[in-house]
Amino acid sequence: MTPTTGVPDVLARSAEKFAPAMKAAVERLTPDIRRMVGYHLGWSDPEGRPVGSPSGKGIRPTLALLSAEAAWADAEVGIPGATAVEAVHNFSLIHDDIIDGDRERHHRATVWVLFGVGPAIIAGDALETLAHQVLLEASPATGAAASAALAEATAAMIAGQADDIAFEQRRDVSVEECMAMSAAKTGSLLGCASSLGAVLAGAPPATVGALRDYGRHLGLAFQAVDDLLGIWGDPSRTGKPAGNDLRQRKKSMPVVSALAAGGDEAEELRSLLLGPADRSALVRPLDSDQVERAAYLVDACGGREWTTVRAKAHLDAALGALERVRISAVPHRQLADLAVYVVERES
Amino acid sequence: MTPTTGVPDVLARSAEKFAPAMKAAVERLTPDIRRMVGYHLGWSDPEGRPVGSPSGKGIRPTLALLSAEAAWADAEVGIPGATAVEAVHNFSLIHDDIIDGDRERHHRATVWVLFGVGPAIIAGDALETLAHQVLLEASPATGAAASAALAEATAAMIAGQADDIAFEQRRDVSVEECMAMSAAKTGSLLGCASSLGAVLAGAPPATVGALRDYGRHLGLAFQAVDDLLGIWGDPSRTGKPAGNDLRQRKKSMPVVSALAAGGDEAEELRSLLLGPADRSALVRPLDSDQVERAAYLVDACGGREWTTVRAKAHLDAALGALERVRISAVPHRQLADLAVYVVERES
């Protein structure tokens, strides 16, 4: 294989190619909505004045561009896909922050905190619609297929989010249910991002399917790492309080697999996180002593190890999917490097 | 022209044609979301048990079916358009109820009140996505154009909703701004509904354009009547408290045109509805004496008359648009009758 530049360089180069299209898409929004979206994307302050650098790593748009190149097309062919996927991803973040009551993202107040719940709902709605406009205008030959693929992925993502909420009310979520929810919530959109450029390039179904599988496994690996960072991540790097997911009693992969282990420590964890059957106990977040104890128990019950093994297994499956079809060598290597990077990240 | 059956019969016949497709579309949603949507549509109680008759008049799906027939196609061709428009309309209702804090619709608790804000956001998101799935699967030849038309209308509707919220914070909304907001918020989706069947039938642009203009004017007439009913509607028919829009200090067409009249009574209305420049006065709804006085003042300043004249003018413009192109006679007459019905309705 040809040697390639490192992942941060690939991300930076993609961002450069993709930024003008994203700016142009956001320009189409009405001024009030544009101000919220520009703020959310880290382009501007709450008053709309330009500021520093955008938030987020830009992994999804990069995947969309690489998937066009993997299918032997120019990266430019994937740009509408990159824009659309980034729009849907950010629509889901803006709505999720309302749903989860999260007040901060990347050390900044979330959109609903600054602008109100109603306007934040509208900003998300506008981004979802914008994504389809961008794709349907992209290419007469392939735009409709791309839009259909994105709608399917979005529907799965939303179903996963609904399950995630429902699980909060339940004491008996199985490991299988948890993995299926993650596959829907995170895997489907990453699977779409990783294949949308190829769809726009008119690639054969086998190529699109292999790239989508790569992205779905990458999404599950990504979610596993996210769940590990949600318990053991360094607050100065993740931008969230230590053990944030435990504090919020989130049924993440490490927790659910630890609870499934059985035994005294799993029972202690269950009563710590889920309280007595009486639901009122669930209202308050855990305090920091409880968070520390819960993190110990998740580890002791094998939840950390299990999740780490799953992250590696999904990384291997993602890399394996890339071998199923003949794709262009340089983007092949860059997709592989990106997958490793995602699993090894610390924020 | 051939004599046609009355409007209620046309609506009932459309509902019969359209209901199975809408049921099938909603069946695709994940169970938790399906329960919320089924409840919202009046199909079931909060636990998902089937109940009485659906809420809403079904004007939008009927328009979509008639627009296919107007373009000399079978009504069936318009069914995916009817389903998609109904999905988008209900997505906007579910989200609007959260945004406006409305606790009741058609004498029933709204989705967010029953299921929570987070789940209600998700239910709306799912319906928006479902609309595009339905259209993109409808017809390889015309589904993409239909999806693009719906995305454009949805984007305009969302922009109108953003303006509507922004206007609540302002004391100086002009009649022109108010009309532009209504055109975006209500007119764009009705314009889409009234032409989507023709788009799916592959009708020429002139036909699609005339039907869309019919629907846009119908939307403005509809909104004008809605605004009149929001002040002078009979609570037993509208399902909302008497003078509800005044109670909520809404800057509807009658209010904005009355404020623009100038003079002592307009100033009294302004201070009653908008309070002193100090915003804290805006938090509380008007009491029933204030509502009664405000309704008198809007009438005295000509707001009722102005809005009634506008409703008639848009009705005439809607009927005029239908004369611009040659469309099939029976649906032509039914579209015309439907427009008159919308303007003369009392709920």
Side-chain angles (χ1 to χ4, degrees), chain A residues 210-228:
Chain A
L211 288 166
R212 192 172 49 225
D213 284 349
Y214 156 85
R216 286 180 175 167
H217 285 293
L218 178 62
L220 281 161
F222 185 95
Q223 188 61 53
V225 172
D226 224 48
D227 285 359
L228 290 167

Side-chain angles (χ1 to χ4, degrees), chain A residues 30 32-33 36 91 95-96 98-99 117-119 121-126 128-130 132-133 136 143-145 147-155 158-159 161-163 165-166, chain B residues 30 32-33 36 91 95-96 98-99 117-119 121-126 128-130 132-133 136 143-145 147-155 158-159 161-163 165-166:
Chain A
T30 206
D32 292 314
I33 298 177
M36 290 186 275
F91 129 65
H95 281 189
D96 279 3
I98 306 171
I99 293 164
V117 168
I121 291 174
I122 288 175
D125 292 345
E128 180 172 10
T129 303
L130 184 62
H132 288 286
Q133 289 183 285
L136 289 166
S147 185
L150 183 65
E152 193 194 326
T154 306
I158 293 168
Q161 173 68 0
D163 285 344
I165 292 187
Chain B
T30 206
D32 292 313
I33 298 177
M36 289 187 275
F91 130 64
H95 280 190
D96 279 3
I98 306 171
I99 293 165
V117 168
I121 291 175
I122 288 175
D125 292 345
E128 181 173 9
T129 302
L130 183 63
H132 287 286
Q133 289 183 285
L136 289 165
S147 186
L150 184 66
E152 193 194 326
T154 307
I158 292 168
Q161 173 69 1
D163 285 345
I165 291 187

Side-chain angles (χ1 to χ4, degrees), chain B residues 54 74 82 84 89 98 146 157 160 214 218 237-238 280 296 298 345:
Chain B
D74 285 341
H89 174 55
I98 306 171
M157 179 187 80
Y214 156 85
L218 178 62
R237 306 205 57 169
T238 62
S280 60
Y296 165 81
V298 173
R345 78 203 153 94

Side-chain angles (χ1 to χ4, degrees), chain A:
Chain A
M1 273 193 219
T2 330
T4 64
T5 46
V7 170
D9 288 338
V10 172
L11 291 172
R13 229 184 42 208
S14 294
E16 208 172 297
K17 280 192 190 134
F18 152 74
M22 189 68 188
K23 295 259 180 212
V26 171
E27 277 297 315
R28 296 169 62 165
L29 301 169
T30 206
D32 292 314
I33 298 177
R34 203 190 308 147
R35 188 161 61 246
M36 290 186 275
V37 170
Y39 168 79
H40 169 78
L41 293 171
W43 297 351
S44 52
D45 70 10
E47 280 71 43
R49 289 179 296 246
V51 292
S53 56
S55 42
K57 297 174 206 56
I59 286 172
R60 287 164 192 79
T62 299
L63 288 170
L65 301 190
L66 287 177
S67 82
E69 292 185 301
W72 315 87
D74 285 341
E76 279 64 30
V77 171
I79 284 181
T83 306
V85 160
E86 194 67 353
V88 166
H89 174 56
N90 284 287
F91 129 65
S92 81
L93 294 181
I94 291 173
H95 281 189
D96 279 3
D97 285 338
I98 306 171
I99 293 164
D100 299 337
D102 284 340
R103 306 186 59 88
E104 281 206 5
R105 177 175 290 280
H106 299 304
H107 303 284
R108 301 162 83 222
T110 47
V111 174
W112 71 269
V113 168
L114 265 180
F115 298 94
V117 168
I121 291 174
I122 288 175
D125 292 345
L127 282 173
E128 180 172 10
T129 303
L130 184 62
H132 288 286
Q133 289 183 285
V134 166
L135 285 179
L136 289 166
E137 292 161 7
S139 145
T142 58
S147 185
L150 183 65
E152 193 194 326
T154 306
M157 179 187 79
I158 293 168
Q161 173 68 0
D163 285 344
D164 198 10
I165 292 187
F167 289 175
E168 282 171 26
Q169 311 292 325
R170 284 176 44 194
R171 300 174 62 80
D172 60 344
V173 178
S174 71
V175 174
E176 290 71 29
E177 285 177 310
C178 178
M179 294 306 291
M181 183 272 284
S182 290
K185 200 178 160 186
T186 313
S188 57
L189 193 61
L190 274 169
C192 182
S194 305
S195 54
L196 209 50
V199 172
L200 287 166
T207 305
V208 170
L211 288 166
R212 192 172 49 225
D213 284 349
Y214 156 85
R216 286 180 175 167
H217 285 293
L218 178 62
L220 281 161
F222 185 95
Q223 188 61 53
V225 172
D226 224 48
D227 285 359
L228 290 167
L229 293 172
I231 299 179
W232 294 282
D234 175 356
S236 72
R237 306 206 59 168
T238 62
K240 290 178 183 166
N244 194 41
D245 284 358
L246 292 175
R247 208 175 52 83
Q248 299 187 336
R249 303 167 186 269
K250 226 170 122 177
K251 295 192 187 71
S252 64
M253 289 186 211
V255 168
V256 171
S257 57
L259 291 174
D264 287 353
E265 285 178 322
E267 282 318 303
E268 184 188 344
L269 181 65
R270 190 183 309 277
S271 75
L272 193 58
L273 286 177
L274 309 181
D278 161 18
R279 276 216 194 129
S280 60
L282 294 181
V283 180
R284 266 170 304 138
L286 298 195
D287 65 31
S288 49
D289 284 353
Q290 291 173 314
V291 166
E292 206 177 307
R293 179 70 185 161
Y296 165 80
L297 291 167
V298 173
D299 202 347
C301 294
R304 187 177 197 166
E305 171 68 12
W306 187 89
T307 307
T308 306
V309 168
R310 292 305 293 244
K312 292 256 164 58
H314 283 295
L315 171 61
D316 289 343
L319 298 176
L322 295 179
E323 305 299 331
R324 264 171 30 204
V325 288
R326 211 173 74 80
I327 58 177
S328 178
V330 173
H332 186 160
R333 174 76 150 283
Q334 291 173 332
L335 287 167
D337 289 349
L338 190 60
V340 173
Y341 171 86
V342 158
V343 172
E344 291 178 352
R345 79 202 152 94
E346 288 177 4
S347 68

